[in-house]
Amino acid sequence: MRKVTVVVCVCIAALLICPPLFSQAANGRVTGVVKDQTGGSVAGAMVTVTDVARGLTRNLTSDESGSYLAPNLIPGTYTIRVTYAGFQAWERSNILLGVGGELAIDVVLIPGAQTQTVTITEEVPLVN
């Protein structure tokens, strides 16, 4: 009986220790801060994160410090677009997010009409 109790305790202890080993997620996330040209935070900016391959979009709003967070993104290629009244739209495409990756993409908005867009295009690196 004592041997069975020890085995059960060891098994329970092993199960309690194992979850941290499996906690690494395959999903990634994108974070950043939206600012104007003077370095001031832009609260309430609309941030759209688009998964290019799947056509899925996630709409976010920057908080009072201008920060935004898009967690649990499936690895792939993304486009980020930021708009705010009185500023030119800002867009960055070909953002490659890897497994478990975390990217910090900060945005600087330029005053102007929203019909104008500042586009930044990254080249996708070649795979060896």
Side-chain angles (χ1 to χ4, degrees):
M1 180 73 171
R2 183 169 174 90
K3 203 178 223 184
V4 172
T5 305
V6 171
V7 171
V8 169
C9 289
V10 169
C11 289
I12 291 173
L15 289 174
L16 292 175
I17 293 172
C18 289
L21 296 175
F22 298 107
S23 65
Q24 292 183 353
N27 295 340
R29 68 188 208 162
V30 176
T31 64
V33 178
V34 181
K35 296 183 178 185
D36 61 17
Q37 283 184 315
T38 65
S41 300
V42 179
M46 294 301 302
V47 180
T48 304
V49 180
T50 304
D51 182 334
V52 177
R54 295 168 192 84
L56 302 173
T57 61
R58 185 174 302 179
N59 295 312
L60 311 164
T61 303
S62 61
D63 63 16
E64 61 277 348
S65 65
S67 299
Y68 70 91
L69 170 64
N72 300 319
L73 297 174
I74 299 169
T77 303
Y78 287 85
T79 296
I80 297 177
R81 182 174 175 85
V82 180
T83 58
Y84 190 73
F87 290 88
Q88 296 177 20
W90 181 96
E91 187 173 289
R92 184 167 169 182
S93 56
N94 294 326
I95 299 168
L96 187 60
L97 181 64
V99 174
E102 181 174 329
L103 299 175
I105 310 241
D106 293 334
V107 176
V108 176
L109 295 178
I110 300 170
Q114 283 186 319
T115 56
Q116 299 171 313
T117 302
V118 176
T119 304
I120 302 166
T121 305
E122 291 187 11
E123 294 184 24
V124 178
L126 298 174
V127 178
N128 291 335

